[in-house]
Every structure is written in structure tokens, then in C-alpha cells.
Amino acid sequence: MTTTPSDGPAAPVPVVVVLPDGQELTARLWARRETPRGWLYQVGLPAYRNTEDGDVQAAEYRVWVRAPEHVRPVDGVSYDAVPTERLPPPSSVREVLGPRRPSGWVLQRAGGGRGPGRAVLHAVDCEEAPQGAPLLPLERALNVAEQPGTRLCSLCGAAQELDPLLRGFDHIEGG
């Protein structure tokens, strides 16, 4: 959260920023960045700052905001010259295999009690996985899977993914 003097290098292009309370300000667009979660725009909001000698000076507060939720274009302004970082194109392997499944495992206890009992281990994105259950990393999921009364969900593929790690690859058909 730093401020910089407003008389910096060449002026970037104007953009409208929507503040959390719904107010709209004209700010300066410094850069754009594509991320896996969407676009971010670095904007400079007009502000004031106090100098060391107690004076007040025009300044700019720079912050990254989500687009298009927090920014709008200004009519008639070209954004072609704004420095833009784009994600690298997806690898051909990723295109063929598709997006990766989220990592982690979720335990669903039968009967809602603690201690030994029946439980089902699901992949985190399984439709049958309980909402809000803690996420288990692989090592912890393997420890839980070895406990008596725990079964691996076949709907989400937990059984196919964890069985070879628990029992070795020799027991798989054709292996």
C-alpha cells in the first residue's frame, strides 16, 4: 500500500474504477495481467499524502483490481498501448488431458461420530464429498484409507487413484 507522487512518468490511459461502496472514480490504468482466476488491472487512484514537512501533496494509490468487476472503459479511449501480461498458452499435454482435478481428499464419516467406525474417503471434487470437511493431503489420506472401516469412493475415482499407492502396482490387472 504505497503511494507515489502523481507527477510520475508518462500518463497512462484513464479508466473508471468502481469502489466497494458503488462510487465510480476516473483512475489511471498502468498495466493489465491475465491470471488463472481472470484479469487484474493495476490502477492508480487519485489521493493525497502528507509530506515530511507537514504539507499536503497530490498522490496516487496503486492497486490491482479485478476486471471487469471493478473497472469500466472510458468511451473513446484506446487500451491497446497498456502493458499487458498474458498467461502462456496451455501445453499440448494439458489440452489433451484437460484441466487438473483439485488436489486433496475429504473424509465422510458415517453416523457423524468420532473414533473407529465406517467412513468413505472422497476426492475433494466428488459430488458425494461432505461440504466444509477439512481437506486432507495425500499422506494423511493414505493413513486414513488404511484404517479399518474406511472405504474409498468409487464414484469419484478415489479407489482407482489410491489403491495402487496402498497396495502397490502389482495387484492391478495386467500389471
Side-chain angles (χ1 to χ4, degrees), residues 106-128:
V106 176
L107 186 64
Q108 178 182 22
R109 296 188 186 276
R114 289 196 170 273
R118 297 183 319 131
V120 180
L121 192 61
H122 299 277
V124 70
D125 60 348
C126 179
E127 292 178 9
E128 300 293 319

Side-chain angles (χ1 to χ4, degrees), residues 149-173:
T150 300
R151 84 175 168 84
L152 304 176
C153 178
S154 57
L155 177 67
C156 65
Q160 291 85 352
E161 292 181 39
L162 295 178
D163 260 345
L165 298 171
L166 291 167
R167 299 175 199 2
F169 290 90
D170 293 337
H171 83 284
I172 300 174
E173 291 178 30

Side-chain angles (χ1 to χ4, degrees), residues 83-113:
T84 303
E85 293 177 40
R86 294 189 175 271
L87 289 176
S91 73
S92 57
V93 171
R94 187 56 51 216
E95 285 182 27
V96 171
L97 295 178
R100 284 185 55 178
R101 130 184 277 161
S103 61
W105 307 92
V106 176
L107 186 64
Q108 178 182 22
R109 296 188 186 276

